[in-house]
Structures are given as C-alpha cells and as structure tokens.
Amino acid sequence: MSEPMTSDDLSDFAIEIHDQVTSFLLSVRAVARGDAPESSVPILLLETSQLLLAGGRLGAIRDVVPDERFETDAGPDPDLDELREKLNALLKPVNTYKEVFDPLAPKSEIETRRISDDLALVCADLAHGLAHYKAERVTEALWWWQFSYLSSWGPAASAVQRALLSVVARSRLGATTG
C-alpha cells in the first residue's frame, strides 16, 4: 500500500474521483436516453473503462476511514428502475452475458448477468457516495466509493467492461454473437 495521504492530497483525490463518478453517471444517463443507439456500446465501454481507472486508484490507496464509526444517512437511494429498463431495451440483443463470479474460488460458478442490471448497480453505488460528497462529507464519500468498489461496483463494472469489450470485438472482428 502507498503512504498515507495528507488531507490536501485526500481533498484533491476526492475531487478527481468525484469528477469521474459524475462523468460516468451523466454519460450512462445520456446513453439510456437512446439518442444515439449505434454508439451506445462503445460509449459505455469507454466510460466504464475510465471509471475502473478511478476504482483502481481507490483500491491502491490506504483504507479511507471515516471520522464516525457509523455511516451517516445519505438520504433515499435513487430510483434507477427507469434507467435499468431503458438500458435493457437499448442493449436487448447483447444485454445478457456470462460471468465467472469469483475466479479465485476453488469451484467457480458461471452466472448469467445483464449489462443493464450491472450498470444500474454501479450507478446506485456511485450515487450513494455522491450524496455524501454533495453533503460535504468528503471522507465518507471516499470511504463509500472505496468500500463499494472493492465489494460491489468494481466487480460489476469489471464484468460489464469485459462484456462490452466482447461485443465491440465481435463487431469489429466479424465474429458471431451466438
């Protein structure tokens, strides 16, 4: 692990992570509107890849520990059903994919997943941290983004990235999807 960050470093780092989270959320919502369906998969691949860079940075720093030993209520969870449904409709031909849940487990299970579900999960986790950030609980936001990167949105975004890359590669290289 790296050396502990100073409070100035942590503040700058939080701004950078906030900017990437905000960019991802705005981009996913824009894609879900369906204005440019032909570019939806490449844009989602790009945005997910950029988000995973932010996640990698969160995973590389020492654990962020909030001042309080309990999580301050961030408010109601966002309703992402409409986003999930719009993404599902937009990605219908390529939405379902297979994923190995834990590649290090002695008996790995293959799961059937949906890109739209995983993107909604990622957006929910990111929005939760963003609520802390907007309430000026920056350490809490970083803690949440780091914790949920390692436990939830990181694995989901990684799986989505692999699925989207497969779609793009098959399209560009002429492979069939069946």
Side-chain angles (χ1 to χ4, degrees), residues 31-141:
V31 167
R33 280 195 305 269
D35 296 338
E38 67 285 346
S39 62
S40 59
V41 169
I43 289 171
L44 289 171
L45 175 59
L46 174 63
E47 290 298 327
T48 303
S49 297
Q50 290 176 335
L51 179 66
L52 284 168
L53 174 60
R57 294 178 68 205
L58 286 162
I61 66 168
R62 290 187 182 268
D63 288 348
V64 177
V65 179
D67 299 330
E68 301 294 326
R69 299 309 281 170
F70 64 93
E71 181 184 3
T72 305
D73 185 4
D77 291 333
D79 182 2
L80 296 172
D81 287 342
E82 183 180 359
L83 176 79
R84 180 189 338 270
E85 291 167 8
K86 286 181 176 182
L87 288 170
N88 181 42
L90 184 67
L91 299 169
K92 196 66 149 179
V94 296
N95 196 28
T96 303
Y97 68 101
K98 304 282 188 209
E99 174 67 8
V100 175
F101 178 68
D102 182 355
L104 298 180
K107 291 186 176 185
S108 296
E109 294 182 30
I110 297 177
E111 297 181 337
T112 300
R113 299 173 72 147
R114 293 191 319 179
I115 294 169
S116 57
D117 291 343
D118 286 341
L119 285 172
L121 178 147
V122 171
C123 288
D125 283 342
L126 297 176
H128 184 91
L130 190 57
H132 285 301
Y133 189 90
K134 287 179 177 178
E136 298 183 7
R137 295 186 299 269
V138 174
T139 303
E140 189 91 19

